Amino acid sequence: MGKMMVTIRKTSDRVPGFEELAWDIFFQSKSRGISLVRHFPWILEPLDKGFYILAEIKARVVGGLVVKNWRGLIDGHDVKVGMIGLVCVSFDFRGQGISRMLLEAALSEARVDSFDALTLWTNSPALYAQYGFFGADAWQYGWVHKKERVDEKEDIFLVDFNIAEIQGKAIPPFAQSINELKGKISSVFLIKDGNGWIVAGYKGDVKEAAYLMARNLVNSWRLNIEKDDPLKGELERLGYEINVDLVNLQMWHTIDLKLRVSDLVNKIKIPVLERI
């Protein structure tokens, strides 16, 4: 298909054409997904201090992306981070520089809206490096394997527990559901996909959280965790072998040049279940 005039525009409102394109690119073409709203429930409302960048040809949406607002703290100072996601171009219009136009517009508008930094997660780092993004990821992912029997004295932690599906929270595109495993003073957040459970996070007491996993998950499961999280030590204490490596999926772009890369990576912690 020959080149046609592409219009780039910014909006904070829902655009059905973009939603249809995103569903086609990220879900339907890969034979996966529940619904766009189930995976990204925030899409139902105008973005709060974020925006969409759309590429249109004769009023048809042929590409787009979203910059979603995330607030973090670095040494007590508020930091406005834009999470870039759903970067897509229609199969019919690829090879015409539309991705470049989208990303350049996103960078420009992020400066206008006083974002301090942008971040995204990708398997194609070379695509974004040319626009000033750099890889910097403090998260690890891998397998947890049972080596030894869990000590029964740890039962002091438990009152009752159950794994319940969480409704209304974003489900990662590759997943079937997200669930919460509740104990007395802790909760473990689980992603379920075709290969079983992934521990995506926890809150509360780290010792009880580790024991909840040990008592209620199968002998092997996957773990997505910050590199310095004490959970790994607790699981090893319970007789588990931890085989995790840095995932190297996250990239950053600093708009406020006073920000240090180390502070962005180590102090801005965006949970797995809140990413795009």
Side-chain angles (χ1 to χ4, degrees):
M1 184 177 294
K3 287 191 175 182
M4 303 177 72
M5 183 64 69
V6 179
T7 300
I8 301 295
R9 70 179 177 96
K10 170 188 176 185
T11 181
S12 61
D13 296 323
R14 292 185 68 187
V15 179
F18 173 66
E19 295 176 18
E20 292 166 5
L21 177 62
W23 175 255
D24 182 36
I25 298 294
F26 293 106
F27 295 96
Q28 187 168 315
S29 66
K30 298 180 180 182
S31 300
R32 67 180 187 182
I34 302 167
S35 71
L36 198 65
V37 169
R38 188 67 187 92
H39 290 285
F40 306 109
W42 46 263
I43 211 166
L44 289 172
E45 304 293 337
L47 289 177
D48 178 22
K49 299 181 181 179
F51 56 87
Y52 298 99
I53 297 292
L54 305 174
E56 297 173 321
I57 294 178
K58 294 183 178 180
R60 173 188 170 186
V61 177
V62 298
L65 58 79
V66 61
V67 177
K68 191 170 183 293
N69 182 44
W70 170 268
R71 311 300 297 206
L73 287 175
I74 293 180
D75 298 332
H77 298 289
D78 189 48
V79 178
K80 184 179 179 182
V81 176
M83 297 188 293
I84 297 181
L86 298 179
V87 183
C88 57
V89 176
S90 170
F91 296 114
D92 296 336
F93 292 92
R94 293 185 176 179
Q96 299 189 31
I98 294 176
S99 292
R100 173 183 55 79
M101 289 185 271
L102 292 169
L103 288 165
E104 289 178 350
L107 290 171
S108 177
E109 294 296 340
R111 294 186 185 95
V112 170
D113 288 356
S114 299
F115 280 88
D116 297 304
L118 297 172
T119 191
L120 54 83
W121 293 264
T122 180
N123 286 309
S124 304
L127 171 64
Y128 297 96
Q130 60 187 306
Y131 301 102
F133 286 84
F134 53 89
D137 198 333
W139 290 75
Q140 297 179 322
Y141 174 81
W143 283 90
V144 176
H145 299 287
K146 186 174 183 179
K147 291 195 304 180
E148 303 171 8
R149 182 172 177 271
V150 177
D151 192 336
E152 292 297 333
K153 70 182 181 181
E154 303 286 352
D155 280 333
I156 59 174
F157 283 122
L158 295 181
V159 175
D160 55 14
F161 52 84
N162 62 84
I163 297 178
E165 184 172 351
I166 303 173
Q167 301 294 330
K169 194 172 182 66
I171 299 175
F174 60 86
Q176 300 166 354
S177 67
I178 56 171
N179 303 266
E180 184 176 8
L181 171 60
K182 292 184 178 182
K184 180 180 178 181
I185 54 175
S186 305
S187 290
V188 176
F189 300 102
L190 304 167
I191 297 172
K192 187 174 185 180
D193 67 6
N195 296 312
W197 295 115
I198 304 170
V199 172
Y202 67 94
K203 65 180 181 181
D205 183 81
V206 64
K207 292 181 181 291
E208 188 195 51
Y211 188 61
L212 285 170
M213 298 173 204
R215 294 290 289 190
N216 296 283
L217 302 181
V218 293
N219 290 341
S220 296
W221 70 86
R222 287 157 292 161
L223 180 64
N224 201 333
I225 195 169
E226 295 174 45
K227 63 182 180 181
D228 55 355
D229 197 302
L231 176 65
K232 289 185 289 185
E234 290 300 324
L235 288 170
E236 289 171 342
R237 185 180 66 84
L238 291 173
Y240 283 80
E241 180 180 358
I242 315 297
N243 297 306
V244 293
D245 295 303
L246 287 171
V247 293
N248 293 321
L249 296 176
Q250 189 170 17
M251 302 188 78
W252 289 90
H253 188 293
T254 51
I255 296 174
D256 180 352
L257 299 181
K258 298 189 296 295
L259 287 174
R260 294 182 298 182
V261 174
S262 59
D263 284 340
L264 287 172
V265 176
N266 296 317
K267 297 179 180 180
I268 301 295
K269 305 292 189 181
I270 303 178
V272 174
L273 295 177
E274 297 186 31
R275 302 172 186 174
I276 304 178

